[in-house]
Amino acid sequence: DNLRQPEAIMEDSINKPWRTMPSKRMTPEHAQVVMFILYACAVVNSIRVGGLAQCLTLIGLGFWYNDARGADVSCILRNLINGLGFMCYTSGAVQLELGPSQWQSFIRADGLGLPWLAIIGAIVFTTVQTQDLYDQAGDSARGRKTLPLVIGDASARWVTAAFMLFWGIVSPCYWGWLQTSQSGVLFWGGAYMAALACLIAGRTLTLRSVSADKSTFLLWNLWLVSQYALPLCAGL
């Protein structure tokens, strides 16, 4: 969906000409047809197996991000939509895995579930600009207001590194990382998360080439995926 807009095609023709629409293997109109078909399939499947609220929310976020240009007009909106999207992905998967009764228990007001989902959203909101550091040329060409283009490359790197260090400690601590009563699995899992966050922060500040930033973004994705293992490490 986010590759079929005219601005996106122009951007991809600069830095990703192999993609489907810049290479003219598909037209934007064809992409829109495929999008609507897959949206319909997703809604029907969500009605059948669960996660309908998350599915509909993601469709709305997709429209906001792409058609309403929420990803272009403000770096805050761009990061916010990404954060909300990851909360939908996470909560939908957890809801299907737990089933109705355990899901209600997971999201009760005095439980651990809702704050954890909020942490996932906040992590993405404050650090997802890692993907924008290596794509500044394309984003600038299309007039997109990403964090590095709004506050400058150096400032964006310091902001990103600071939040990486913050969440690298706070996130595992939320699950009781430093409590002596917890298992060794959680301790070493939390240590891994903290070390990986430090590595990403260090790379963000010291390695500033396009190729290095792409590798740093891959590590960020690995770190983000690892967040989902923390509840398991805590024995939940």
Side-chain angles (χ1 to χ4, degrees):
D1 186 20
N2 71 340
L3 303 182
R4 66 181 177 82
Q5 307 297 330
E7 297 86 356
I9 296 174
M10 182 273 296
E11 178 189 357
D12 286 341
S13 66
I14 297 174
N15 52 16
K16 299 181 181 74
W18 45 265
R19 280 184 166 172
T20 307
M21 275 164 278
S23 61
K24 302 190 184 303
R25 286 177 286 138
M26 180 183 286
T27 68
E29 292 75 22
H30 291 156
Q32 188 174 40
V33 171
V34 173
M35 178 192 74
F36 284 132
I37 292 173
L38 293 179
Y39 273 166
C41 292
V43 171
V44 170
N45 192 58
S46 296
I47 292 173
R48 185 176 64 87
V49 303
L52 179 61
Q54 292 91 335
C55 177
L56 295 176
T57 302
L58 281 167
I59 292 174
L61 290 173
F63 178 84
W64 188 10
Y65 192 91
N66 299 305
D67 298 273
R69 299 195 64 197
D72 298 338
V73 298
S74 167
C75 58
I76 295 177
L77 281 181
R78 175 178 172 82
N79 286 21
L80 175 63
I81 296 171
N82 275 289
L84 293 173
F86 271 87
M87 291 177 68
C88 289
Y89 298 140
T90 307
S91 62
V94 172
Q95 181 179 358
L96 295 186
E97 176 65 24
L98 294 180
S101 60
Q102 292 187 63
W103 168 249
Q104 291 301 321
S105 177
F106 182 78
I107 62 171
R108 70 179 187 268
D110 60 343
L112 294 173
L114 286 180
W116 178 62
L117 292 174
I119 287 174
I120 295 295
I123 285 174
V124 176
F125 175 71
T126 54
T127 62
V128 73
Q129 64 271 5
T130 307
Q131 70 178 334
D132 300 322
L133 293 173
Y134 65 81
D135 201 19
Q136 295 182 59
D139 287 334
S140 178
R142 69 179 293 179
R144 174 174 274 174
K145 298 186 183 301
T146 62
L147 190 67
L149 295 176
V150 171
I151 68 174
D153 179 80
S155 297
R157 290 178 184 277
W158 279 104
V159 168
T160 305
F163 275 114
M164 285 300 307
L165 295 176
F166 175 78
W167 292 118
I169 300 298
V170 170
S171 180
C173 281
Y174 175 75
W175 294 104
W177 174 33
L178 299 179
Q179 295 178 11
T180 56
S181 61
Q182 294 292 344
S183 68
V185 174
L186 178 60
F187 175 81
W188 290 112
Y192 159 79
M193 295 292 294
L196 188 54
C198 290
L199 174 62
I200 295 168
R203 287 182 58 92
T204 300
L205 293 175
T206 59
L207 303 177
R208 304 191 176 196
S209 67
V210 171
S211 60
D213 285 336
K214 287 182 177 180
S215 297
T216 301
F217 180 55
L218 292 177
L219 289 173
W220 179 84
N221 279 278
L222 174 62
W223 176 76
L224 182 63
V225 170
S226 301
Q227 296 286 340
Y228 304 139
L230 285 176
L232 299 177
C233 293
L236 297 183

